[in-house]
Amino acid sequence: MEQPDRKKTRAVKVGKLLIGGTAPVSIQSMTNTRPHDYDATLVQIKELAEAGADLVRVAVPDKEAVPVFKKLVQNCPLPLVADIHFDPDLADLALDNGAAKIRINPGNIGGIKRLEALALKAKSCNAAIRIGVNAGSLERRVLNKFKGATAEAMVDSAAGYLEIFENTGLKNLVVSLKASDVYTTIKANRLFSKDHDYPLHLGVTEAGPPSTGLLKGAIGIGALLADGIGDTIRVSLTASPLEEIKAAKKILQSLGLRIFTPDLISCPTCGRCEVDLVPLVNQVERLLENYKAPLKVAVMGCAVNGPGEAKEADIGISAGKRKGILFKHGKVVRTVEQDQLLEALKQELNGYT
Ligand code: SF4
């Protein structure tokens, strides 16, 4: 499978993880438990790690959340990002207490002097800062200059803050340029990527519930990744953060950037279909979640187009009248009754992990 040529960015260290450089595109999400509830937040971070997150962001909204954050850093399996708004003292405290990265919107954190101090603090802690530029909260200067929250305005805002941080010598910087509309997000990231080599955190912000958010995320993040742009992603959904991780994995896998499970190919069904394909494919999809091998598995509904696609796959099923043909690496392995197709596929998967 061909994959996009990734644009070369500088590598930024976030705890034990690298973002950018030659590192794989990393996956992240944000906890939605109460940030003062240590037990619930730790459980969720562990679930996210298990699901495939590479780093996790946790809100630190007030001083009471700081000791909880500290304990999470000490006990959780992934680098933690502290999400800070408005209060630079909280950013300082999060860094003092082990944040691998802090995510700030530099426009709401207290002016240039405070940003410089924060950059020096991050440098001394060997931590990273994400400059999170959001179309919904751009500073007056750029809104006036560009007559609104345009992609150009977002890039100008990010460039201004980068200059402040660079002047302090801090290089461990990640940038995000997010808008709730997909095309502005794509355009802003493309523009930024032309002139800067800082790693980009991609996402379409406030993308909505899964019914629309998955599509917005897949289009916005996917278009940029296909251009070779993007080093870490968050699929923003009004849903469990675990859904965000699942979606992120599917986006990366569909572009061949990372492989997590076998690739499932199945036909859309039509009037020729000889089997109740939808439940069968759902069962196969659940089965394949248990495997990591980079296999192509095809499940096709009839003998017209089915065998061709099934032969191309590593393992393929092509349904026919009451029976189905099982293929392995292009060769017919056997013919089985339709109600035995899933079991036959399981047997062929034996030996793969
Ligand atoms: Fe229709 Fe057969 Fe194609 Fe499936 S494989 S869409 S059943 S023609």
Side-chain angles (χ1 to χ4, degrees), residues 120-139:
L120 292 171
K121 178 78 175 206
K123 211 171 147 200
S124 71
C125 297
N126 207 15
I129 293 181
R130 166 154 69 98
I131 299 175
V133 170
N134 197 314
S137 56
L138 289 174
E139 62 273 26

Side-chain angles (χ1 to χ4, degrees), residues 3 25 35 91 98 145 157 187 192 201 204 226-227 231 252 319 341:
Q3 6 175 304
V25 178
K145 184 172 165 190
S157 173
K187 190 174 171 192
F192 180 87
H201 162 125
V204 176
D227 282 352
D231 301 279
L252 293 176
L341 282 170

Side-chain angles (χ1 to χ4, degrees), residues 6-14 17-26 28 55 101-102 128-133 158 162 166 170-178 188-190 192-203 224-225 228-233:
R6 287 183 60 204
K7 184 188 148 84
K8 204 160 168 14
T9 51
R10 64 179 75 188
V12 165
K13 201 170 160 299
V14 178
L17 185 76
L18 281 182
I19 297 181
T22 55
V25 178
S26 53
Q28 54 179 295
L55 70 162
K101 181 167 78 163
I102 55 168
I129 293 181
R130 166 154 69 98
I131 299 175
V133 170
L162 272 176
E166 280 172 337
L170 179 70
K171 297 273 166 55
N172 245 15
L173 293 163
V174 177
V175 174
S176 64
L177 302 138
K178 295 190 183 185
N189 282 278
R190 281 180 178 157
F192 180 87
S193 172
K194 272 189 202 158
D195 295 330
H196 301 276
D197 69 351
Y198 284 101
L200 277 166
H201 162 125
L202 302 183
L224 289 162
L225 290 172
I229 296 168
D231 301 279
T232 180
I233 66 173

Side-chain angles (χ1 to χ4, degrees), residues 267-274 277 300-306:
C267 80
T269 75
C270 73
R272 291 193 179 89
C273 200
E274 302 275 11
L277 198 74
M300 306 295 288
C302 79
V304 177
N305 289 331

Side-chain angles (χ1 to χ4, degrees), residues 319-330:
K321 280 197 179 15
R322 290 183 296 281
K323 293 188 187 288
I325 306 168
L326 196 72
F327 295 85
K328 197 163 183 186
H329 304 303

Side-chain angles (χ1 to χ4, degrees), residues 47 146 155 205 293 317 322:
E47 285 171 352
F146 293 94
V155 173
T205 194
I317 291 171
R322 290 183 296 281

Side-chain angles (χ1 to χ4, degrees), residues 261-262 285-293 352-353:
T261 56
E285 188 179 35
R286 282 197 295 278
L287 173 69
L288 294 181
E289 282 170 6
N290 303 314
Y291 297 85
K292 292 196 171 72
Y352 293 106
T353 52

